[in-house]
Amino acid sequence: MTDKEPITMDDIARLARVSKPTVSRALSGSPLVRPETREHVLAVARQYGYAVNRNAQKLRHKRTNTICVSIDYGSFRKNHITDPFIFDLLAGVSEALGELDQDILLCSPKHNGFDFLQQVYLSRGADGFIFLGQGHRENLLQQFSSSTAPFIVWGAKKKNNRYCVVGSDNYRGGMLAGNYLLGKNRRQILFVGDISHPEIGFRRRGLEDSVARCPEPVTVDVLVLNSFSFESALASANHYLSRATGTPDGVFAYSDTAAMAFIYAFQKAGFAVPGDVSVVGYNDLSSAAFFHPAITTIRQDTYLAGELLVKKLMRLVDQKKTVSGFIPTELIVRET
Amino acid sequence: MTDKEPITMDDIARLARVSKPTVSRALSGSPLVRPETREHVLAVARQYGYAVNRNAQKLRHKRTNTICVSIDYGSFRKNHITDPFIFDLLAGVSEALGELDQDILLCSPKHNGFDFLQQVYLSRGADGFIFLGQGHRENLLQQFSSSTAPFIVWGAKKKNNRYCVVGSDNYRGGMLAGNYLLGKNRRQILFVGDISHPEIGFRRRGLEDSVARCPEPVTVDVLVLNSFSFESALASANHYLSRATGTPDGVFAYSDTAAMAFIYAFQKAGFAVPGDVSVVGYNDLSSAAFFHPAITTIRQDTYLAGELLVKKLMRLVDQKKTVSGFIPTELIVRET
DNA sequence: CTGAAAGCGCTTACAG
DNA sequence: CTGAAAGCGCTTACAG
């Protein structure tokens, strides 16, 4: 049981009684071919189920029309996806890339380091890269920025970044959350998240700045979380509640997942949400809407994000200039 | 600002003072090259940052070492991923594919139809296909099975399927759920899900069969859901509660998302979960664990699933026989 | 508008 | 163990 010999352009040329270049032109829609010739060639190609070998095509072209997408698998743990937001983003990016007829090369966890990615570029496996999740991959990204590969990152802009970033307006997200909590008369606010992540640092700063405008005294405490997982957030929450001197009356969590963990912990500890504590999350995961109580959160449109990431990356691939950009953030008020 | 001319194997051959075939052999780890020669070639290649052009490579080889993954975007709605389970699966598949050094070509929603997929295969874009989510794509899959492309599907086996399937043991999952509900002394059970999906049909049958063994009279009602989204599940739940003659005391939902919707609706309608109604979900989404109340559900190991899908697909790619397979299901007892 | 020729960057017999 | 030659399946000047 062997594969039938695949049909080549030569075969189609012979069958259509034209030359190979004519077949090539007809198939690529070149104007340099008579309409009748084109129709005839296309008909023969269709009849024999011919498809241009894309590897030969890519070999001849400089462009591969492939974009490599690297996910921050640091947010993963074996057997457990800890924050699904990154997949919302992937869906947005995949949609935008599809619209431009770009192939998507998805990196697996094993092939997510600098060497492999660099190799993909040098071996003409992709024209450019999209990094979903900055997380703690600063080193990788800095390394990458001294290579010539075009790439763009979902995350936040840092001063020493030499690469372009698309992200939600984290600072404004923080301000929105702060204003919301202040409006609920919350005065002892807890910020939850790893502020060494640039994105999360901005959210915290936005929170602090909104609080600074409040005429009454407000405290902002920061609880650093070192993992993206719910379990770890829950452990931190329990630990915090067990030793906190005063209980916060407002929480701004860096993700909906963390918000859920804190709500859970507060409820178990006998506090009512939102009676005793108001909580604001981030990302507007679909599960945030139907958590009980439904979580007030900051939304960022992942389809817009995908579009912007792709648009900017394609400029870089085309050797044009581009700059970092932001997706607007929006406060979604629900029950907490 | 033009691209530097990329380095080719010819360049490396010249620089290393050997022939091109020797470079090729050294780089591919052929035993037909003296260790010292190999080392020297590798050193030169490394020094000049050379990477073999993978398009040329794929053109020469019959194999592309690329697997195309097609996600059932039917479970999506613009701006809204309605059931994140498919992404758990994607993570599992991506991990397994990475272990075998296979590239992953991810289909975008726009390029997810038969013609495009067929084109990918004929144009040597991929050696095989993994379909994540059978859903209502039966037509596509049947079409595909009469092409020569190797592929495998996450889903359930139907009698008239001519293709291989890997799925959770849905029937057993249904039995587990049924036994759990019966054990809680539930006697009016509602099954929620679109039973025309083969996977979901099996769960229902498992439920029915477990109930049939109960000596006491038990009713099983079926509520068909036509969408995967939470919102639509919630609407159905509310509608059901508003017109149901008797309220069920046990619910088995086809997904955790749907389970959440029903719990939500029940609570709003004044019923206690699990006091008045026991609920079992499916998939064990990470959010199921920290929903309030935490959801009792059926777990399927998505990493195991990825491994099995990939293992079976690779057999097909290698022209070997394979058969459909199952992932064990496990009841995860939580609060509901 | 069409075709003959060259070449993209590899790998694989083949010969030594 | 190594190299000269051919060829994978295309596209792109070039010539007409």
Side-chain angles (χ1 to χ4, degrees):
Chain A
M1 174 169 170
T2 61
D3 264 322
K4 294 181 308 227
E5 274 311 300
I7 298 159
T8 71
M9 194 173 274
D10 268 313
D11 299 326
I12 300 300
R14 205 172 310 118
L15 291 162
R17 307 192 169 287
V18 294
S19 73
K20 196 166 45 162
T22 298
V23 176
S24 176
R25 292 190 187 105
L27 256 28
S28 68
S30 158
L32 292 176
V33 64
R34 245 189 337 158
E36 304 89 86
T37 316
R38 181 204 324 290
E39 285 316 319
H40 177 226
V41 169
L42 292 184
V44 172
R46 212 175 304 118
Q47 183 188 347
Y48 288 87
Y50 169 71
V52 178
N53 184 313
R54 58 171 68 193
N55 301 126
Q57 220 165 21
K58 287 178 180 179
L59 177 56
R60 293 307 325 265
H61 290 308
K62 33 193 138 209
R63 282 280 272 275
T64 64
N65 290 318
T66 302
I67 298 299
C68 178
V69 176
S70 163
I71 292 183
D72 183 12
Y73 285 97
S75 322
F76 284 69
R77 217 186 48 220
K78 182 88 182 163
N79 286 327
H80 207 97
I81 295 164
T82 52
D83 199 331
F85 175 70
I86 208 144
F87 281 133
D88 283 38
L89 220 43
L90 178 62
V93 165
S94 129
E95 168 126 351
L97 247 16
E99 288 306 319
L100 298 182
D101 295 324
Q102 300 292 306
D103 286 342
I104 305 164
L105 179 62
L106 185 66
C107 278
S108 77
K110 184 182 171 192
H111 293 142
N112 217 6
F114 176 73
D115 287 341
F116 184 84
L117 264 17
Q118 171 83 348
Q119 202 78 357
V120 166
Y121 184 66
L122 293 174
S123 68
R124 313 263 139 178
D127 300 323
F129 296 80
I130 297 180
F131 289 91
L132 261 25
Q134 203 171 14
H136 278 129
R137 298 200 288 172
E138 208 47 57
N139 279 346
L140 169 65
L141 297 174
Q142 292 294 350
Q143 270 185 83
F144 225 76
S145 63
S146 43
S147 95
T148 58
F151 73 102
I152 194 143
V153 178
W154 171 263
K157 189 145 187 56
K158 295 173 79 173
K159 295 124 295 292
N160 56 341
N161 275 357
R162 295 201 310 278
Y163 54 81
C164 274
V165 156
V166 169
S168 84
D169 191 343
N170 289 291
Y171 179 80
R172 178 130 197 290
M175 297 228 25
L176 289 171
N179 292 338
Y180 172 81
L181 292 173
L182 293 174
K184 294 271 177 190
N185 271 310
R186 304 310 187 177
R187 297 294 180 262
Q188 301 203 51
I189 296 174
L190 174 66
F191 179 83
V192 176
D194 184 351
I195 50 180
S196 74
H197 282 238
E199 314 179 52
I200 297 173
F202 277 111
R203 294 177 200 171
R204 183 251 190 128
R205 225 168 302 159
L207 172 69
E208 300 267 14
D209 287 0
S210 92
V211 156
R213 297 193 193 155
C214 181
E216 297 174 40
V218 182
T219 63
V220 175
D221 206 3
V222 173
L223 177 63
V224 173
L225 248 51
N226 290 313
S227 153
F228 283 106
S229 83
F230 174 79
E231 286 75 4
S232 129
L234 186 55
S236 298
N238 286 328
H239 184 248
Y240 179 85
L241 286 177
S242 72
R243 49 176 298 172
T245 45
T247 316
D249 56 10
V251 172
F252 176 30
Y254 82 96
S255 77
D256 292 334
T257 306
M260 292 175 192
F262 271 77
I263 292 171
Y264 201 75
F266 273 109
Q267 292 180 331
K268 292 278 178 199
F271 298 99
V273 180
D276 302 317
V277 201
S278 290
V279 178
V280 181
Y282 212 102
N283 289 345
D284 194 24
L285 293 186
S286 44
S287 51
F290 46 89
F291 195 75
H292 205 71
I295 297 174
T296 296
T297 188
I298 308 289
R299 174 190 296 167
Q300 25 191 354
D301 183 335
T302 50
Y303 282 84
L304 217 57
E307 259 175 46
L308 200 58
L309 280 162
V310 168
K311 202 173 94 190
K312 287 180 179 297
L313 177 61
M314 293 325 276
R315 285 189 57 87
L316 292 174
V317 168
D318 291 334
Q319 315 245 34
K320 293 182 194 143
K321 293 271 168 220
T322 191
V323 294
S324 293
F326 289 108
I327 301 298
T329 43
E330 183 188 359
L331 178 73
I332 306 296
V333 176
R334 296 207 180 89
E335 297 173 0
T336 65
Chain B
M1 172 170 170
T2 60
D3 264 323
K4 295 182 307 229
E5 274 311 301
I7 297 159
T8 71
M9 194 173 273
D10 268 313
D11 298 328
I12 300 300
R14 205 173 310 118
L15 290 162
R17 305 192 169 288
V18 294
S19 73
K20 197 164 45 159
T22 299
V23 176
S24 175
R25 292 191 188 102
L27 256 26
S28 68
S30 159
L32 292 176
V33 63
R34 246 192 333 160
E36 305 88 84
T37 316
R38 182 205 321 290
E39 285 316 319
H40 176 227
V41 169
L42 292 183
V44 172
R46 211 175 305 118
Q47 182 188 346
Y48 288 87
Y50 170 71
V52 178
N53 183 314
R54 57 171 70 191
N55 301 125
Q57 218 165 21
K58 287 178 180 179
L59 177 56
R60 292 307 325 267
H61 289 307
K62 35 193 138 206
R63 281 283 271 275
T64 64
N65 290 318
T66 303
I67 297 299
C68 178
V69 176
S70 164
I71 292 183
D72 183 12
Y73 285 97
S75 322
F76 284 69
R77 216 183 51 217
K78 181 88 181 161
N79 288 326
H80 206 96
I81 295 165
T82 51
D83 199 329
F85 174 70
I86 207 144
F87 281 133
D88 283 37
L89 220 43
L90 178 61
V93 165
S94 128
E95 169 125 351
L97 247 15
E99 287 306 319
L100 298 182
D101 294 325
Q102 299 291 305
D103 286 341
I104 305 164
L105 178 62
L106 185 66
C107 278
S108 77
K110 184 181 171 191
H111 295 143
N112 218 6
F114 176 72
D115 288 340
F116 184 83
L117 263 18
Q118 171 83 347
Q119 203 77 358
V120 166
Y121 184 65
L122 293 174
S123 68
R124 314 261 139 180
D127 300 325
F129 296 79
I130 296 180
F131 289 91
L132 258 27
Q134 203 171 14
H136 278 129
R137 299 199 289 172
E138 208 47 58
N139 278 346
L140 170 65
L141 298 173
Q142 291 296 349
Q143 270 185 79
F144 225 76
S145 64
S146 43
S147 95
T148 58
F151 73 100
I152 194 144
V153 178
W154 171 262
K157 190 143 186 57
K158 295 172 81 172
K159 294 124 297 292
N160 56 340
N161 275 357
R162 296 202 309 278
Y163 53 82
C164 273
V165 156
V166 169
S168 84
D169 192 342
N170 288 292
Y171 179 81
R172 180 133 195 287
M175 297 225 31
L176 289 171
N179 292 338
Y180 172 80
L181 292 172
L182 293 173
K184 293 274 176 189
N185 270 310
R186 305 311 186 175
R187 295 294 180 263
Q188 301 202 51
I189 296 175
L190 173 66
F191 179 83
V192 176
D194 183 350
I195 50 179
S196 73
H197 283 238
E199 313 180 52
I200 297 173
F202 277 109
R203 295 178 201 169
R204 183 249 192 130
R205 225 168 301 159
L207 173 69
E208 301 266 16
D209 287 359
S210 91
V211 157
R213 295 193 194 155
C214 180
E216 297 173 39
V218 181
T219 65
V220 174
D221 206 1
V222 173
L223 176 63
V224 173
L225 248 49
N226 290 313
S227 154
F228 283 106
S229 83
F230 174 79
E231 287 77 4
S232 129
L234 186 55
S236 299
N238 285 328
H239 184 249
Y240 179 84
L241 286 179
S242 71
R243 49 177 297 171
T245 45
T247 315
D249 56 10
V251 173
F252 176 30
Y254 81 97
S255 78
D256 291 335
T257 306
M260 291 176 193
F262 271 77
I263 292 172
Y264 202 75
F266 273 110
Q267 290 179 331
K268 291 279 180 201
F271 297 100
V273 179
D276 301 318
V277 201
S278 290
V279 179
V280 181
Y282 212 100
N283 289 344
D284 194 23
L285 293 186
S286 45
S287 50
F290 47 88
F291 195 76
H292 204 72
I295 297 174
T296 296
T297 187
I298 308 289
R299 175 188 295 168
Q300 25 191 350
D301 183 334
T302 51
Y303 283 83
L304 215 58
E307 257 175 49
L308 200 58
L309 280 163
V310 168
K311 201 173 95 189
K312 288 181 178 296
L313 177 61
M314 294 324 275
R315 283 189 58 88
L316 292 175
V317 168
D318 291 335
Q319 316 245 35
K320 294 182 193 143
K321 293 270 169 219
T322 190
V323 293
S324 294
F326 289 107
I327 301 298
T329 44
E330 183 188 359
L331 177 73
I332 306 295
V333 176
R334 296 208 180 90
E335 297 172 2
T336 64

